[in-house]
Amino acid sequence: MKHTLLTALLLAPLLMLHAEEKPLSAWQHLVRTETWTEKWPDASGKVETSNVTAEVWTQAMQATLDAQGSLHISAQAKPYYLDGPLVLKSGQKLSADPTAEIRLKPGSNTCMVRNEHIVGFADQPVPEDAKPDTDISIEGGIWTTLANGVKDSNGNHRGLSSKKDPVPGTHGVILLHNVRHVIVRNITVRQSRAFAVHLANVSEFTIDGVTLDRHGRDGVHVNAPASHGLIRRVSGVSHDDTVALNAWEWKNYAPSFGAIHHIIIEDVRGAPDGVPSANSIRLLPGVKRFSDGTTLDCPIHDITVRGIADIRDFKLYDQPNLEVGRDKDASVGIGSLRSIVFENLTFNRPGSIQIHANTDGLIIRDVKLNFPFTADYHLIELGPKSQTYKHKSDDPATWTEIFSPDLDCTVRSLSVSGVRQHGAGTDLPIDQVVHVIELKPNPDYPKTTPKGGTGKGIWIR
């Protein structure tokens, strides 16, 4: 009896709080009706400009969150518009009906949802006590920044943390930076230019269910430090990496740097055959050089990638920053990988695992190759890459090397098993599976490209 009474007393405040929660419509008086222009291609691809009159819900939704710590966005026939991010504090929850569409008003140029205490550490390692936000939940909804094509984003080019004084490197539709114990579940991100979900300085996180609908950039993009996370059920059409773990990163896309470790990526699907999409997963380690000249190792270790289909490229290679100039932002040498597992991979079209990092402990097992291939095909490529980016096709002086073709990498403790062609009863021989690259300078450059290099892969067997 005492136990029952005590339980009732403890639950009473929670039941009362739940009973007093009000629907979003209770804040209808904060909704503004505005008119603006939007650009969209017609059936022929020609961009047309049209006037739009719609309701802007940012203030009403934020007031709901601030008043009761939770917000549910119900389905309705017309979309909800935001003109800036919804900000979630520790312990808060945002949910939306699966068919509720939330749009970013043209020209807002921010993220759509973020946590409260986003802090950037562009020029130093993340301190031990960065006072993170905790226990945040985001679920449901169709989120779009109205990026209608390669050349036009309706003024929403960057997923910044705020319109005024944004944290450098923030670039997401949903931003969760400097957080612990966070969940994002069952969202759709449609026609957006920023990363669908951008995480950094994060631990103990779950991203479970992200559908990418004609998406323009990375799907789930994780910057360091990051650890103890699960990324599951990501699928759809993306014109950049479906999932990316970037410990080192181009400085215009990273709020912080460090190690990424103890993360599971599972049940990821690329786009169907014939649908243009990047269909790639990236792991990018490196060494960050800060503006004062100090450096920070940014390794990736203890990662499991499993249950993956229709991803063509697994990109574990070095890549300097071409957007600001490779000589202005590059890793201090190649990065390091340790204890990486790829298992249960299905390739329904040609694809590969490309490694240009110092690697110690790489397991690749249970891989199905469901396509015909020639004797020179290899699933695993160890060593540097070379590719020429032609800024002006007729002026070789402006051409740039995309990768790091003069750097060696060493791979130790590589284990390969269960790599089979469709219908085969035995594994492919290891020499058919693994190719070790040794580049040479191209003597005919620039008549032919790429330029090549002097780097090589070193496999310690």
Side-chain angles (χ1 to χ4, degrees):
M1 183 67 179
K2 291 182 179 179
H3 177 74
T4 303
L5 179 61
L6 179 60
T7 301
L9 290 171
L10 290 173
L11 288 177
L14 298 177
L15 294 172
M16 186 179 297
L17 176 64
H18 180 75
E20 292 177 354
E21 285 185 355
K22 298 178 181 180
L24 176 58
S25 59
W27 284 267
Q28 179 78 38
H29 62 284
L30 296 176
V31 176
R32 305 189 316 274
T33 299
E34 298 181 0
T35 299
W36 57 82
T37 60
E38 289 183 10
K39 295 181 179 179
W40 291 95
D42 61 17
S44 67
K46 181 181 178 181
V47 175
E48 293 184 338
T49 301
S50 59
N51 290 324
V52 173
T53 298
E55 295 176 334
V56 180
W57 285 79
T58 316
Q59 286 182 303
M61 290 184 179
Q62 190 64 57
T64 307
L65 277 167
D66 293 344
Q68 56 195 27
S70 65
L71 163 66
H72 180 70
I73 304 171
S74 59
Q76 64 175 22
K78 55 188 177 181
Y80 300 86
Y81 277 87
L82 302 177
D83 61 356
L86 301 175
V87 180
L88 276 71
K89 300 178 175 64
S90 291
Q92 293 191 337
K93 177 181 180 180
L94 186 159
S95 63
D97 187 276
T99 62
E101 183 176 357
I102 305 97
R103 297 181 175 182
L104 188 64
K105 179 184 171 184
S108 300
N109 206 33
T110 66
C111 63
M112 298 183 72
V113 183
R114 51 163 281 192
N115 62 292
E116 182 181 19
H117 296 110
I118 293 180
V119 185
F121 297 97
D123 275 325
Q124 68 178 81
V126 175
E128 290 187 7
D129 184 13
K131 297 181 179 179
D133 297 314
T134 63
D135 303 293
I136 289 172
S137 173
I138 301 166
E139 181 168 3
I142 301 169
W143 304 83
T144 175
T145 66
L146 303 179
N148 55 32
V150 175
K151 296 182 179 180
D152 197 346
S153 302
N154 272 304
N156 294 325
H157 310 291
R158 297 281 302 185
L160 299 173
S161 60
S162 59
K163 291 182 179 180
K164 183 179 180 181
D165 299 323
V167 174
T170 52
H171 187 58
V173 177
I174 293 176
L175 287 180
L176 292 170
H177 297 176
N178 191 33
V179 291
R180 308 289 184 266
H181 311 290
V182 294
I183 297 173
V184 178
R185 182 179 286 123
N186 298 329
I187 66 167
T188 295
V189 177
R190 173 180 293 166
Q191 290 178 284
S192 296
R193 183 69 66 225
F195 306 141
V197 182
H198 190 188
L199 303 123
N201 186 16
V202 56
S203 67
E204 299 176 83
F205 65 93
T206 298
I207 311 298
D208 185 5
V210 177
T211 300
L212 305 172
D213 181 358
R214 294 161 290 168
H215 183 58
R217 215 58 197 258
D218 288 359
V220 179
H221 185 103
V222 182
N223 285 122
S227 67
H228 301 93
L230 172 64
I231 301 170
R232 172 193 288 158
R233 297 191 304 121
V234 184
S235 64
V237 175
S238 178
H239 296 287
D240 212 329
D241 304 320
T242 305
V243 177
L245 305 183
N246 290 11
W248 179 83
E249 171 70 289
W250 296 6
K251 62 184 180 182
N252 41 333
Y253 296 102
S256 56
F257 306 86
I260 294 180
H261 59 94
H262 291 93
I263 292 174
I264 295 172
I265 302 170
E266 66 181 10
D267 195 11
V268 175
R269 300 288 182 270
D273 195 20
V275 177
S277 183
N279 296 327
S280 57
I281 290 177
R282 180 189 291 275
L283 275 63
L284 181 61
V287 179
K288 173 64 179 177
R289 177 184 283 117
F290 295 112
S291 59
D292 63 1
T294 60
T295 61
L296 175 67
D297 192 21
C298 302
I300 297 179
H301 63 88
D302 293 283
I303 308 296
T304 297
V305 182
R306 65 193 183 199
I308 313 297
D310 292 322
I311 295 296
R312 289 194 298 252
D313 295 312
F314 292 85
K315 300 152 58 172
L316 286 66
Y317 50 69
D318 185 66
Q319 189 168 349
N321 188 347
L322 299 189
E323 291 188 0
V324 302
R326 56 175 295 125
D327 57 329
K328 298 178 182 178
D329 186 24
S331 172
V332 184
I334 61 171
S336 60
L337 301 168
R338 188 176 77 252
S339 301
I340 311 294
V341 177
F342 290 92
E343 60 185 0
N344 190 15
L345 310 181
T346 301
F347 291 83
N348 292 312
R349 52 204 168 200
S352 60
I353 301 170
Q354 304 159 51
I355 301 156
H356 186 208
N358 289 324
T359 305
D360 188 356
L362 175 62
I363 297 173
I364 298 172
R365 59 193 176 208
D366 299 331
V367 180
K368 300 178 181 67
L369 305 176
N370 297 333
F371 58 90
F373 53 80
T374 59
D376 61 353
Y377 168 78
H378 299 89
L379 172 66
I380 304 168
E381 299 176 357
L382 307 180
K385 298 164 63 70
S386 178
Q387 184 176 338
T388 302
Y389 176 62
K390 298 182 179 181
H391 297 272
K392 296 180 180 179
S393 60
D394 59 347
D395 185 3
T398 67
W399 297 355
T400 303
E401 169 60 53
I402 295 177
F403 301 110
S404 301
D406 297 321
L407 299 180
D408 296 347
C409 70
T410 301
V411 177
R412 294 179 170 86
S413 303
L414 171 62
S415 173
V416 179
S417 62
V419 178
R420 297 187 178 188
Q421 192 170 15
H422 180 68
T426 58
D427 295 358
L428 288 172
I430 192 67
D431 291 338
Q432 171 81 67
V433 176
V434 181
H435 174 56
V436 180
I437 297 170
E438 184 173 352
L439 290 181
K440 302 290 183 184
N442 179 2
D444 293 324
Y445 182 85
K447 292 182 180 180
T448 61
T449 59
K451 190 175 182 178
T454 60
K456 61 183 180 296
I458 302 168
W459 181 14
I460 307 298
R461 301 181 69 165

